Amino acid sequence: WNHRATNMRSEWKQQHGFTLLEVLIALAVLAIAMLAVIGTAGSSTRVASELRDKTLANWVAMNELTTLRVASTWPALGKQDDDAEMGGRKWHWQANVTATSDPDLLRIDIDVSDATQKDQVITSLTGFLGRPMPNVPVQGAGGPPLPPHPPKGG
């Protein structure tokens, strides 16, 4: 009987393959790893979307600040707002123009949000605007030519 049990054990050890328990453990480990990969991919997608939104909103704010800077007149103090399109989306911006301690300088705070969610500000930008100079001619616009640069190396 002892000899027969030894033969059965050696036959059992010679069989190749995995037991059901080993397969289930391997599947559990694989499932946990896949959940981690899927979670990371979802997080990366969300972060990329937020970065795109912040970038586009910042461009809207910079465009509005630039529009105020190149205008021929100073903007009125107080709040102004409007919608703008950027990146195939509609954005809402609100500019708050305030005086500073320098009478020739204004502070402009611009908040930008998605046009459908105006109460959720995506980005804010602060800039300053100097008083426009009174009709100072520049080269190319009828003004005197600029002096030539000194020669290099001399």
Side-chain angles (χ1 to χ4, degrees):
W1 167 258
N2 196 9
H3 178 62
R4 188 171 179 201
T6 304
N7 282 343
M8 287 178 73
R9 268 188 254 139
S10 64
E11 284 179 23
W12 178 262
K13 287 183 179 179
Q14 289 176 358
Q15 292 179 355
H16 293 24
F18 298 103
T19 64
L20 180 59
L21 182 59
E22 291 170 329
V23 170
L24 289 176
I25 290 172
L27 285 174
V29 168
L30 182 63
I32 291 170
M34 291 301 291
L35 284 174
V37 168
I38 290 170
T40 301
S43 176
S44 294
T45 302
R46 188 184 73 253
V47 167
S49 176
E50 289 173 4
L51 285 174
R52 183 199 65 226
D53 289 350
K54 281 186 174 285
T55 299
L56 291 173
N58 197 43
W59 288 346
V60 169
M62 287 188 297
N63 282 351
E64 295 310 320
L65 182 59
T66 301
T67 299
L68 291 171
R69 284 182 172 161
V70 300
S72 59
T73 59
W74 247 15
L77 296 180
K79 293 186 178 186
Q80 47 184 290
D81 67 325
D82 200 358
D83 290 337
E85 196 160 322
M86 175 71 68
R89 288 178 56 186
K90 199 170 209 175
W91 301 91
H92 181 76
W93 60 267
Q94 180 178 34
N96 186 22
V97 180
T98 55
T100 64
S101 59
D102 183 342
D104 291 327
L105 193 66
L106 294 178
R107 176 182 172 142
I108 303 170
D109 296 297
I110 301 176
D111 293 331
V112 180
S113 59
D114 187 292
T116 61
Q117 298 172 325
K118 295 179 182 179
D119 59 330
Q120 294 181 3
V121 174
I122 295 174
T123 194
S124 296
L125 178 70
T126 298
F128 293 89
L129 177 63
R131 184 180 304 275
M133 298 296 287
N135 297 329
V136 175
V138 294
Q139 182 180 10
L146 295 175
H149 290 287
K152 291 185 179 181

